Amino acid sequence: MKPNYKEIDRLLKNLDPKILVYLFYGSDQGLTHERVVSILKMLKIDARDPFRLSFLTGSDIKKNPGRLTDEATAQSLIGGARAVHVKLNGEDITKALGDCLECHDISLVLLEAGELAPSSPVRKFIEKSEKAAAFPGYLDNKVGLKKLIQSTLDNHGISIDSTAINYLINNLGSDRMVSRSELEKLVTYMGATNNIGLNDVRSNIGDNGAYSIDKIIYPVANGN
């Protein structure tokens, strides 16, 4: 399954029982990991609980393809939902995924990867499967950043001036976890003050924006 942009938020807020394998990939490693953590929280699984969460790497599965099925079909000794978190580094584990999806009553499998080209065997397999879904995670655009900023500050009951939010949009975005960390730092700095101004953000936020290659190429070509 290859959800479109509008479907992504819906599917990540309300888990579809038909989806048994989630693939999170893309250049924004912070966002892909944040989505894994979000699903674990929805399942009320502590990431440090070895009885309810199994961790594997793509290399582990390549060495022993049956291990993915073993972990996905294992029962929790203490009750509650289980999940399998797999960190991929470009390995082709499609055979193991296919075998796993043929089993009944498997735990959710959460695949976390970096950039995967459209030709990636794992990505192609997930996008074609009715029991799996692939979620790309790329650096936040201005709309995504504004949404992240607003939701984070709303959760803390803090408002922000338009000039201040524009400054944040232009200076955040290199990575979702970095952006969120910078916003939490700003909230801590504000203390009991519930309105953020331009001077507040200038005092706390450095430039974490992602530069395009063009911003390097043209100055170099011009000898600057």
Side-chain angles (χ1 to χ4, degrees):
M1 181 181 184
K2 185 180 179 181
N4 59 40
Y5 181 76
K6 292 182 179 179
E7 292 174 321
I8 288 177
D9 281 345
R10 177 179 62 81
L11 289 172
L12 293 178
K13 288 178 181 176
N14 300 288
L15 301 182
D16 187 334
K18 296 193 296 292
I19 299 177
L20 303 176
V21 177
Y22 288 76
L23 168 63
F24 301 108
Y25 71 95
S27 57
D28 192 336
Q29 296 290 288
L31 178 58
T32 58
H33 185 69
E34 184 177 278
R35 286 172 168 171
V36 171
V37 172
S38 175
I39 289 185
L40 292 178
K41 287 182 178 179
M42 292 173 68
L43 297 173
K44 298 181 179 179
I45 294 177
D46 187 334
R48 297 166 296 180
D49 187 345
F51 295 105
R52 298 186 60 192
L53 181 67
S54 298
F55 179 79
L56 298 173
T57 64
S59 178
D60 293 333
I61 297 171
K62 286 292 287 184
K63 292 175 183 175
N64 183 3
R67 191 172 174 193
L68 178 61
T69 297
D70 290 342
E71 296 292 350
T73 55
Q75 299 297 310
S76 172
L77 299 177
I78 58 175
R82 286 190 80 256
V84 181
H85 179 197
V86 180
K87 195 69 178 292
L88 290 177
N89 191 29
E91 297 89 353
D92 179 3
I93 60 167
T94 51
K95 177 64 167 59
L97 287 170
D99 293 342
C100 185
L101 286 174
E102 289 181 1
C103 298
H104 297 288
D105 300 322
I106 67 169
S107 304
L108 278 189
V109 177
L110 309 175
L111 308 176
E112 182 180 349
E115 283 277 21
L116 293 178
S119 59
S120 161
V122 171
R123 179 176 164 183
K124 288 168 67 176
F125 175 86
I126 297 294
E127 290 177 346
K128 291 179 180 178
S129 174
E130 294 180 355
K131 297 181 180 179
F135 298 84
Y138 295 108
L139 298 178
D140 284 312
N141 56 24
K142 289 188 176 182
V143 174
L145 269 177
K146 187 173 183 179
K147 184 177 179 181
L148 172 65
I149 294 166
Q150 203 66 63
S151 64
T152 302
L153 298 182
D154 286 347
N155 288 339
H156 291 279
I158 298 177
S159 60
I160 184 169
D161 295 347
S162 59
T163 52
I165 199 169
N166 286 335
Y167 180 92
L168 286 176
I169 290 172
N170 289 320
N171 288 277
L172 295 178
S174 63
D175 178 275
R176 173 63 69 94
M177 289 184 73
V178 172
S179 295
R180 192 176 291 281
S181 176
E182 290 291 279
L183 290 172
E184 294 294 340
K185 181 178 72 174
L186 178 60
V187 168
T188 301
Y189 167 82
M190 296 306 296
T193 306
N194 59 7
N195 182 262
I196 297 173
L198 180 58
N199 287 336
D200 298 317
V201 294
R202 279 180 170 169
S203 299
N204 285 272
I205 307 297
D207 184 358
N208 292 295
Y211 282 88
S212 73
I213 193 66
D214 289 349
K215 292 184 178 180
I216 298 174
I217 291 174
Y218 291 126
V220 170
N222 290 327
N224 185 2

